[in-house]
Amino acid sequence: DIPVFVVRGNHDAASQITRSLSLPDNVRDLSAQEPETVVLDELGIAIHGQGFPERAVTANLAQGYPDPIGGLINIGLLHTALDGREGHEPYAPCSLSELINRGYDYWALGHVHRGELVHEAGPWVVFPGNLQGRHAQEVGPKGCTLVSFHDGTIQKVKHCTIDVLRWCRTVVSCADARTPADV
């Protein structure tokens, strides 16, 4: 019974395959054609977002996002590399100042698989990262970001580690090994 909102990115852009997938009833796949806003009156939240219509989006999608809706907590969902992140293609580039000046309360960013708190409050800008490391290059704890709010204000933003398998790097000295079995 938790509403889920999705903006597709480079790995799951709108395509023949993704169009044929059925999502659970509680999941809303936001438009890949233009920014879309969903208002959850019972929670006092407006969610704004746009997915990728194709794998490689090089346009600044944030420019087309609508103005915030007064009296609501405004959340932006955006798959982006911002102004660049090492090891990530520069998809849907935009600037941090552009997001800050949009007037939203919170930006949930996708594309970067490592969690990063980019900006604290006024607004929060967060790459929550992956829920689970996908391969040996995605080391360390993975999880989600829990955002708590009260009376129309975000009170707390907390990373929650929920991964069930963790990739890590370790150094093993082979200095005293004489055979492969010793290693």
Side-chain angles (χ1 to χ4, degrees), residues 5-125:
F5 298 89
V6 174
V7 291
R8 295 185 184 274
N10 57 299
H11 292 298
D12 55 3
S15 70
Q16 191 65 34
I17 294 171
T18 58
R19 275 193 292 275
S20 65
L21 295 175
S22 11
L23 298 171
D25 292 339
N26 64 317
V27 177
R28 173 79 176 266
D29 189 5
L30 298 180
S31 174
Q33 304 312 311
E34 61 186 1
E36 182 177 3
T37 299
V38 178
V39 175
L40 301 172
D41 288 316
E42 66 281 7
L43 296 176
I45 293 176
I47 297 174
H48 313 276
Q50 178 180 356
F52 279 22
E54 65 230 6
R55 185 180 191 286
V57 172
T58 57
N60 181 345
L61 296 180
Q63 287 179 336
Y65 275 48
D67 291 336
I69 299 174
L72 299 177
I73 292 177
N74 288 266
I75 299 171
L77 305 180
L78 180 62
H79 194 91
T80 180
L82 275 178
D83 52 4
R85 289 294 183 272
E86 185 179 338
H88 292 85
E89 294 294 327
Y91 295 139
C94 62
S95 68
L96 177 59
S97 64
E98 184 175 8
L99 298 184
I100 290 170
N101 293 326
R102 178 62 60 191
Y104 292 0
D105 301 286
Y106 186 87
W107 281 95
L109 306 180
H111 187 52
V112 175
H113 297 184
R114 180 188 324 259
E116 179 185 352
L117 176 59
V118 180
H119 191 264
E120 278 191 56
W124 293 89
V125 179

Side-chain angles (χ1 to χ4, degrees), residues 88-165:
H88 292 85
E89 294 294 327
Y91 295 139
C94 62
S95 68
L96 177 59
S97 64
E98 184 175 8
L99 298 184
I100 290 170
N101 293 326
R102 178 62 60 191
Y104 292 0
D105 301 286
Y106 186 87
W107 281 95
L109 306 180
H111 187 52
V112 175
H113 297 184
R114 180 188 324 259
E116 179 185 352
L117 176 59
V118 180
H119 191 264
E120 278 191 56
W124 293 89
V125 179
V126 178
F127 282 107
N130 283 10
L131 298 174
Q132 176 66 59
R134 300 180 323 138
H135 52 71
Q137 297 305 312
E138 293 186 353
V139 298
K142 302 293 181 186
C144 63
T145 302
L146 178 64
V147 180
S148 304
F149 64 95
H150 182 70
D151 289 336
T153 304
I154 293 177
Q155 303 290 311
K156 186 177 177 184
V157 174
K158 174 186 172 191
H159 175 78
C160 299
T161 300
I162 61 171
D163 54 1
V164 294
L165 174 123

